[in-house]
Amino acid sequence: MATAVLIGAGVAATALVGRAALNASRRSVAAGAASATSSSARRVPIGSSIPPNAAKLPRGGFEPSMSRREAALILGLRETAGAVPRDRLKDAHRRIMLSNHPDRSGSPYLASKINEAKDMLDKVAR
């Protein structure tokens, strides 16, 4: 009976030490990658879902009501004083919808926001 308890305690201790070593290894890799980054190139750890250009993307969610600025940001267009040319608007909408369409495992919410942004800028272009 005592032998089984000792074996169980040994297995548990080995698992805890292994887990601590794995966490320490991950932290050291992340700290090394963070210190090795420069302003021109950022390294993303393997398996991370953060895009490399994430620093350039705006923080936060969507505004309660769509503005011209937000619509231009969503479609990746420049916010200009005048209207956006319809061909550039159509190309930008198509490019973004190809990767975010719900039929291709995209988010229906993002697709609706992309369509709303296109409608907003299209209304100004008319």
Side-chain angles (χ1 to χ4, degrees):
M1 180 71 174
T3 306
V5 171
L6 289 176
I7 290 174
V11 169
T14 304
L16 288 174
V17 169
R19 181 176 163 191
L22 185 62
N23 286 338
S25 171
R26 286 181 183 162
R27 275 191 236 115
S28 68
V29 168
S35 65
T37 59
S38 66
S39 61
S40 62
R42 299 186 78 183
R43 293 184 188 169
V44 177
I46 295 173
S48 175
S49 62
I50 301 171
N53 63 348
K56 297 177 186 177
L57 297 175
R59 294 252 182 223
F62 294 107
E63 296 173 5
S65 62
M66 182 76 62
S67 66
R68 282 182 42 97
R69 178 184 174 277
E70 186 179 28
L73 281 172
I74 289 171
L75 293 175
L77 298 171
R78 271 194 199 158
E79 183 182 7
T80 58
V84 177
R86 290 185 73 113
D87 58 336
R88 287 184 56 205
L89 179 63
K90 183 178 175 182
D91 289 341
H93 179 261
R94 177 177 168 76
R95 177 178 40 87
I96 299 218
M97 279 304 286
L98 283 175
S99 60
N100 291 299
H101 198 277
D103 290 346
R104 295 189 175 187
S105 70
S107 166
Y109 179 72
L110 288 179
S112 69
K113 283 298 195 179
I114 293 167
N115 286 330
E116 185 181 354
K118 179 192 171 267
D119 292 342
M120 167 70 72
L121 293 178
D122 194 27
K123 180 172 54 174
V124 174
R126 288 184 194 174

